[in-house]
Amino acid sequence: PAIHVWLMPLTATSLELRQCANLLAHDEQARAERFQFERHHRRFIVARATLRVLLGNYLTMPPAAIAFGVGPRGKPSVANATVPVHFSLSHSGDVAIYAISGSCECGADIEQLDRAVRHDELARTFFSIHEQTELQKIHSASRKHAFLTCWTRKEAIVKATGKGLSAPLDAIEVTVAVDSAPRLLSMPGARPADWALYAVDAGSAYTATVALHRPSLRSPQPA
């Protein structure tokens, strides 16, 4: 199965921002206006417009004509897609990651490494006991990086399933160390062999993961 991944900057000139906004549907424009801070407003507009452009290339339709819907499990979908398409979008800071596949469910997550985060406290809530143990084995200077990397692995899986915040993250167990191969170890109702995780090189300031789900998956190669 093929999965295509893009890392895109969310910076834009005033002209580019207006062009991006013109591609959005009314509900997306309304969501953009509700952001309190201008930087969040701009990032949302650019991220959604870029998603439309990428999907438009897949579906050979104008980006503004794409109608988004919601799947049975709450995962975003293209309501008027002419061919099968699965996608996932995540952004952190000024960078967005996009994963698109025509054959299987996918999820993507990216985190900015310099963000303030109480990693040990959050791990006690959202990590399994095994993951917490593995995290504590890592030197304190590198622990936040490991936590955020592990977090992207879990979030990418959640986004691929479409369960969102309803999925208990501590029940999804993955490898923790940054230099370990990203891999699903266990998840209720799932076979780890059906999942493939990929670490995405997002530069020294970010950590990112893409998850791919397809039953009977066998050693997939990213396109």
Side-chain angles (χ1 to χ4, degrees), residues 7-207:
L7 288 167
M8 305 291 283
L10 296 181
T11 53
T13 65
S14 296
L15 174 59
E16 291 169 338
L17 189 67
R18 288 196 297 272
Q19 293 172 332
C20 286
N22 288 336
L23 297 179
L24 304 189
H26 292 305
D27 63 318
E28 291 173 308
Q29 293 175 357
R31 285 175 61 187
E33 292 304 319
R34 289 197 290 269
F35 284 102
Q36 180 179 358
F37 298 106
E38 178 63 20
R39 65 181 182 276
H40 297 153
H41 168 84
R42 296 170 69 93
R43 288 169 181 168
F44 176 84
I45 290 174
V46 177
R48 295 293 294 190
T50 302
L51 176 63
R52 285 179 168 275
V53 170
L54 292 173
L55 290 172
N57 288 334
Y58 272 83
L59 301 170
T60 61
M61 60 193 302
I66 291 173
F68 289 107
V70 179
R73 291 175 296 179
K75 186 177 182 181
S77 63
V78 179
N80 58 344
T82 53
V83 295
V85 64
H86 308 276
F87 66 91
S88 183
L89 158 64
S90 175
H91 57 87
S92 183
D94 285 324
V95 176
I97 185 171
Y98 301 83
I100 301 178
S101 175
S103 58
C104 48
E105 296 287 358
C106 56
D109 194 61
I110 186 169
E111 295 290 344
Q112 196 168 8
L113 291 174
D114 68 355
R115 59 174 293 190
V117 57
R118 297 178 177 177
H119 48 79
D120 287 336
E121 180 179 325
L122 288 172
R124 286 192 290 272
T125 301
F126 297 106
F127 283 16
S128 69
I129 297 299
H130 174 73
E131 288 170 334
Q132 292 178 48
T133 301
E134 291 300 303
L135 185 65
Q136 290 303 313
K137 292 178 182 178
I138 297 169
H139 191 278
S140 58
S142 304
R143 198 171 296 156
K144 184 172 78 167
H145 189 173
F147 169 84
L148 290 171
T149 296
C150 182
W151 184 272
T152 67
R153 294 171 182 176
K154 293 159 83 74
E155 278 290 323
I157 293 169
V158 167
K159 290 178 180 180
T161 65
K163 293 181 180 179
L165 294 176
S166 66
L169 286 182
D170 61 338
I172 301 171
E173 194 166 272
V174 299
T175 50
V176 175
V178 173
D179 57 358
S180 65
R183 189 161 52 92
L184 172 64
L185 301 178
S186 67
M187 181 169 65
R191 290 195 325 135
D194 291 345
W195 287 85
L197 303 185
Y198 299 99
V200 178
D201 184 357
S204 60
Y206 294 87
T207 182

